Amino acid sequence: MSTLLSIHNLSVSLPKGADRPYAISNVSLELNNNEILCIVGESGSGKSMMSSAIMGLLPERVKATSGEILFEGEDLLTYNDAQMRKIRGARIGMIFQEPMTALNPLRTIADQIAEMYWTHTKLKKADINKKVLELLNDVQIPNPEAAAKAYPHELSGGQRQRAMIAMALALEPTVLIADEPTTALDVTTQAHILKLIRDLQQRKGTAVLFITHDFGVVAEIATHVAVIQKGELVEQGSVNDVLNHPTHPYTQRLIAAVPPLSPSDARLISQNSILNVNHVTKTYRSGGLFKRNRRITHAVNDVSFTVPQGGTIGIVGESGSGKSTLARCIIKLLNIDEGQIEFDNVNIADLKGKTLRQYSRNIQMVFQDPYASLNPRKKVGEQVAIGPQLYGMTKQSAMEKAKVLFKLVGLDSEAVHRYPHEFSGGQRQRIGLARALALEPKILVADEPVSALDVSVQEQVLQLLAELREKLGLTLIFITHDLRVAAQICDSIIVMKNGNIVEQGLASQVFTKPQHEYTKSLLDAVPGKNWNPPRLIDMSPAIHI
């Protein structure tokens, strides 16, 4: 086994005014051929900054101030832009975390993948076109021919991520850096991408530097693990040593926060239903002005279920299964085509005007992206207070209520005077919760509320939701593609596929004795499903954010 990439005593400085002087402080790592080294840590720990330093893509005013990054014996920190351009893509590939910002919105997917071959090879156009389609097929993009001609905005998030992975794998680089490449993907897509990367590593001896906060992924794919906290390397070793016998308290806390893939103990729940969804259908039509050219998509197809008062019902499934569309129908962001949605025995499907407004305060939503759902130009307290003001509360009283809500969700009451960008992702999600609770709803609809959060922050938000459920008597509709999360918070589970419910029942039944083949395939695809996180410490004193 030979070393392909060596990082020696690397320090990367941050601009003045940052919360710490260094993004990376005196870190040393080695990456060998035929090895997958996973770098884990919370947001802001310096994981992505390390990959940017390797690729020569550090932001302005951020500089590598000491150390070496040796690739095949050459220090990349001494390379100029022209030299780095010859390395990027051809010798060191990179899969970025956010494909929409990394892909050019004005060029087709085929053009962007083909550029790798135009830049670094002498292949003919026909051969390049063939390779592009082969790559798109390898990453299992549906209808590769159509995807090749599409622009980034015409693909789903998962499809864009697969296209970027295809681009990174095009020249089968010696070193592949993957920065959170599967965070936003469904478990089945995630499982395939992980297998794709592992196959490349085994077939070509590729060295993979895999950056993630998902310990299930680490258990599934890693050979070695490095743990970074606030820019410092606190622990490294084999995957077995780090995951099953962690020695540093930080690593122990992170692993203790990973939810196990087993349902929590059943709770006593009211037999009274608060929401009844009966034969609801939502259909989209697209593709042309004339009827014969239109494509019909049954986003939600004849769906029925009951939500008990005070319970938590989880809706799981892949992207495109209809989960989020169903949620938007329940909160009346979308009108249904057929069926009934009864809240407290009132059919809300046809409500309008004042009666709709009165209904709306009873069911509130926490959105997936806490930053995009907050107005960056308004103080967060004002955004929490706006709901009560619309229902007649004075501005002063509404702001006082916002302060109380901030305390309820674990934030300083004086934080109401700050702007969204001044908070971490976990804190912004808490603000989203406070805003949803401002109208004292009876039902809270949470659409992937923890999918983008670190395990420690995720654990806190889940604990907070459970506490609010008990304290306020909330009913939760929890939408997620993370089955570990669903197992911990949900009393019952609905499994959706292509707009249909294929299975529903108590969480204990669905997770331990799944009936439908699709449910079994979802559970089989969970990364690290055979790894049981060791509970080495008491998690009651949570990691603060």
Side-chain angles (χ1 to χ4, degrees):
M1 184 176 288
S2 60
T3 301
L4 295 178
L5 186 72
S6 296
I7 299 174
H8 296 304
N9 303 319
L10 176 67
S11 291
V12 176
S13 64
L14 291 170
K16 290 182 179 180
D19 60 354
R20 65 175 190 263
Y22 291 96
I24 298 291
S25 180
N26 200 34
V27 167
S28 296
L29 289 171
E30 286 193 348
L31 181 64
N32 301 313
N33 69 309
N34 204 31
E35 177 181 277
I36 298 179
L37 171 63
C38 279
I39 300 180
V40 297
E42 296 171 288
S43 295
S45 62
K47 307 186 302 294
S48 294
M49 202 66 79
M50 186 182 299
S51 67
S52 296
I54 295 169
M55 297 296 286
L57 296 173
L58 287 171
E60 287 186 30
R61 299 170 59 211
V62 176
K63 300 184 183 299
T65 52
S66 64
E68 296 177 315
I69 301 176
L70 299 179
F71 175 62
E72 297 179 340
E74 298 288 331
D75 186 1
L76 296 181
L77 294 179
T78 66
Y79 276 29
N80 59 32
D81 286 342
Q83 289 173 306
M84 284 305 301
R85 280 195 293 271
K86 292 180 180 179
I87 295 289
R88 295 187 199 114
R91 311 299 304 284
I92 304 178
M94 177 86 181
I95 304 169
F96 293 93
Q97 182 173 359
E98 180 42 67
M100 197 59 185
T101 56
L103 292 170
N104 188 331
L106 303 178
R107 298 177 61 193
T108 65
I109 296 299
D111 283 344
Q112 298 185 62
I113 298 176
E115 185 178 10
M116 303 295 294
Y117 295 106
W118 292 121
T119 304
H120 297 286
T121 73
K122 296 181 180 180
L123 291 174
K124 295 180 180 179
K125 184 177 180 179
D127 293 328
I128 291 175
N129 291 340
K130 182 180 178 182
K131 282 187 171 291
V132 167
L133 290 177
E134 287 175 353
L135 280 166
L136 292 175
N137 188 62
D138 284 344
V139 296
Q140 288 197 345
I141 283 188
N143 195 348
E145 292 81 5
K149 298 174 184 176
Y151 292 89
H153 73 273
E154 296 178 295
L155 301 180
S156 69
Q159 290 172 334
R160 286 194 294 266
Q161 189 63 281
R162 295 191 214 190
M164 175 166 292
I165 291 169
M167 195 183 308
L169 299 180
L171 299 176
E172 298 189 344
T174 308
V175 172
L176 178 66
I177 301 174
D179 187 0
E180 301 275 12
T182 61
T183 298
L185 302 182
D186 306 313
V187 287
T188 47
T189 305
Q190 184 181 56
H192 180 76
I193 295 302
L194 294 178
K195 183 178 184 299
L196 189 70
I197 292 173
R198 191 165 50 240
D199 286 349
L200 173 70
Q201 170 247 330
Q202 293 173 350
R203 181 163 47 89
K204 292 290 184 178
T206 305
V208 180
L209 189 68
F210 200 103
I211 297 167
T212 183
H213 64 250
D214 188 332
F215 277 86
V217 169
V218 176
E220 187 74 26
I221 199 172
T223 54
H224 289 78
V225 183
V227 184
I228 294 183
Q229 180 188 24
K230 295 181 179 179
E232 296 182 0
L233 182 65
V234 298
E235 186 164 357
Q236 63 177 313
S238 70
V239 64
N240 178 62
D241 287 344
V242 175
L243 290 195
N244 296 318
H245 310 286
T247 57
H248 195 277
Y250 178 70
T251 312
Q252 292 174 352
R253 289 200 300 271
L254 288 179
I255 291 175
V258 178
L261 189 61
S262 55
S264 300
D265 294 336
R267 299 185 307 126
L268 290 175
I269 305 171
S270 170
Q271 297 299 309
N272 299 324
S273 64
I274 190 171
L275 189 78
N276 294 299
V277 176
N278 300 314
H279 305 290
V280 166
T281 294
K282 177 64 182 176
T283 302
Y284 293 110
R285 292 171 175 82
S286 61
L289 294 173
F290 301 103
K291 192 172 182 180
R292 66 177 179 274
N293 294 326
R294 290 187 179 179
R295 184 173 71 250
I296 298 175
T297 302
H298 297 288
V300 177
N301 186 30
D302 194 27
V303 164
S304 298
F305 62 92
T306 297
V307 181
Q309 189 167 358
T312 299
I313 189 164
I315 304 177
V316 303
E318 297 171 291
S319 294
S321 63
K323 308 186 303 293
S324 294
T325 299
L326 179 58
R328 282 160 173 74
C329 290
I330 290 171
I331 65 169
K332 285 288 285 184
L333 281 179
L334 291 173
N335 291 320
I336 62 176
D337 297 327
E338 297 177 21
Q340 292 181 321
I341 300 175
E342 294 181 348
F343 171 74
D344 276 352
N345 299 317
V346 175
N347 181 19
I348 63 172
D350 300 321
L351 294 184
K352 296 178 181 178
K354 290 182 179 179
T355 52
L356 175 58
R357 177 185 283 189
Q358 198 60 38
Y359 157 75
S360 297
R361 71 182 302 169
N362 289 313
I363 303 184
Q364 290 291 300
M365 189 163 187
V366 180
F367 294 92
Q368 180 174 359
D369 187 337
Y371 194 74
S373 61
L374 293 171
N375 187 333
R377 294 180 176 144
K378 281 193 173 184
K379 294 177 181 178
V380 292
E382 295 174 6
Q383 298 186 60
V384 172
I386 189 66
Q389 286 179 257
L390 289 173
Y391 284 88
M393 187 176 286
T394 65
K395 183 176 181 180
Q396 183 178 353
S397 298
M399 284 301 295
E400 289 301 317
K401 184 171 188 175
K403 290 182 178 181
V404 172
L405 287 167
F406 268 51
K407 285 184 178 180
L408 182 67
V409 298
L411 294 172
D412 185 347
S413 60
E414 291 306 308
V416 296
H417 303 297
R418 291 157 63 188
Y419 290 90
H421 73 271
E422 299 179 75
F423 297 90
S424 69
Q427 289 171 323
R428 287 196 292 264
Q429 195 60 283
R430 288 169 182 252
I431 294 166
L433 273 170
R435 183 174 60 179
L437 295 172
L439 292 175
E440 301 177 11
K442 295 180 180 179
I443 298 176
L444 198 63
V445 180
D447 187 4
E448 300 278 10
V450 296
S451 63
L453 303 181
D454 302 316
V455 287
S456 55
V457 181
Q458 173 183 280
E459 193 268 345
Q460 292 175 61
V461 172
L462 292 177
Q463 188 176 23
L464 175 62
L465 282 171
E467 290 172 358
L468 292 174
R469 179 180 62 189
E470 300 302 321
K471 187 181 294 186
L472 305 178
L474 277 175
T475 301
L476 297 180
I477 298 176
F478 198 93
I479 296 163
T480 184
H481 65 251
D482 189 331
L483 297 183
R484 289 181 181 270
V485 168
Q488 293 314 295
I489 197 167
C490 299
D491 302 308
S492 57
I493 299 290
I494 289 173
V495 184
M496 291 190 69
K497 181 184 181 184
N498 298 331
N500 297 289
I501 293 178
V502 297
E503 185 166 354
Q504 60 179 308
L506 294 175
S508 56
Q509 295 173 343
V510 173
F511 277 92
T512 59
K513 296 179 181 178
Q515 301 300 307
H516 197 277
E517 289 303 316
Y518 178 68
T519 310
K520 293 176 183 177
S521 70
L522 290 180
L523 290 167
D524 285 342
V526 175
K529 60 183 179 295
N530 296 320
W531 171 61
N532 293 313
R535 293 293 182 259
L536 301 175
I537 63 168
D538 178 11
M539 279 300 291
S540 53
I543 303 171
H544 294 290
I545 53 175

